[in-house]
Amino acid sequence: MPALPAARPVVVATGPLTSEALSADLQGRFCAFLGAGEDATGPGRWLSFYDAISPIVSADSVDQQIVFAASRYEKGGADYLNCPLSRDEYLAFRRSCLKGERYPLHDFEEARYFEGCLPIEELAERGEDVLRFGPMRPVGLRDPRTGRRPYAVLQLRQENHGPDGRATMYNLVGMQTRLRRGEQLGPFA
């Protein structure tokens, strides 16, 4: 598609291989809308695409003796399964994130991430506690086995309902990654 169709409404879902013609059409429309010149951002420099994997966990692989259902501060429903981690488990998780091989960036990609949606290995590189003060923060949660707040927590959100109404898959909340699929077995095993 070289340009947006005139008919409205229109939904645009384009990815990293957007044609130069469509990219130029979109750039012209956005620059006109923003009141900027056509070349305000330079050719091909105004679209960003970042690909990351968000791991999905099979429900039958979750150890129900360890996880607990809860929302932070007991507000709302118990929408998440929480996987508590000790300090040693957390540090092992972080080490796995740091040493895992990553998918390389494509020629058209730059490592300009959105701060609110960083790959976990990028967070791990920023410091020892960044993950546990970010997507793995345990605030507002108490492990019912110990009565204490865990050192860190992985949260699982139900992804679907199986034929019997029970979950068959869970999404790992905030765990987008560029680790190669085989390398994900380290942190997420």
Side-chain angles (χ1 to χ4, degrees):
M1 171 186 325
L4 292 182
R8 297 291 184 265
V10 63
V11 175
V12 179
T14 186
L17 302 179
T18 303
S19 72
E20 287 186 35
L22 180 57
S23 179
D25 181 64
L26 290 170
Q27 181 177 4
R29 290 171 188 267
F30 286 121
C31 288
F33 177 77
L34 297 172
E38 290 283 327
D39 63 343
T41 56
R45 307 288 303 159
W46 66 284
L47 286 178
S48 296
F49 176 81
Y50 301 101
D51 195 10
I53 300 167
S54 291
I56 301 293
V57 174
S58 174
D60 60 6
S61 72
V62 176
D63 187 339
Q64 298 296 325
Q65 301 302 311
I66 296 173
V67 301
F68 60 96
S71 290
R72 295 185 195 284
Y73 306 107
E74 299 177 4
K75 293 184 178 180
D79 296 333
Y80 298 93
L81 287 184
N82 298 280
C83 307
L85 281 81
S86 67
R87 183 175 191 276
D88 289 342
E89 290 167 329
Y90 168 78
L91 292 174
F93 176 89
R94 180 175 176 263
R95 278 191 302 275
S96 290
C97 290
L98 291 172
K99 75 176 187 176
E101 184 181 351
R102 301 171 192 180
Y103 284 107
L105 293 172
H106 299 283
D107 291 341
F108 52 82
E109 292 181 302
E110 293 178 39
R112 295 183 299 151
Y113 298 112
F114 301 103
E115 285 298 313
C117 192
L118 292 167
I120 56 172
E121 56 278 5
E122 177 73 20
L123 291 169
E125 285 178 350
R126 292 183 177 190
E128 184 174 299
D129 291 324
V130 173
L131 281 166
R132 72 183 202 98
F133 288 113
M136 298 177 75
R137 67 190 172 282
V139 296
L141 296 169
R142 297 266 176 239
D143 184 341
R145 295 175 307 150
T146 65
R148 295 194 199 140
R149 180 170 77 183
Y151 188 79
V153 68
L154 276 167
Q155 288 194 304
L156 306 177
R157 181 177 49 240
Q158 186 172 327
E159 190 72 18
N160 71 339
H161 294 282
D164 62 358
R166 295 178 18 203
T168 63
M169 295 184 293
Y170 288 93
N171 177 288
L172 283 157
V173 178
M175 294 289 116
Q176 54 275 8
T177 182
R178 294 193 64 148
L179 293 174
R180 290 189 176 274
R181 289 178 63 189
E183 297 292 320
Q184 293 174 29
L185 296 176
F188 299 117

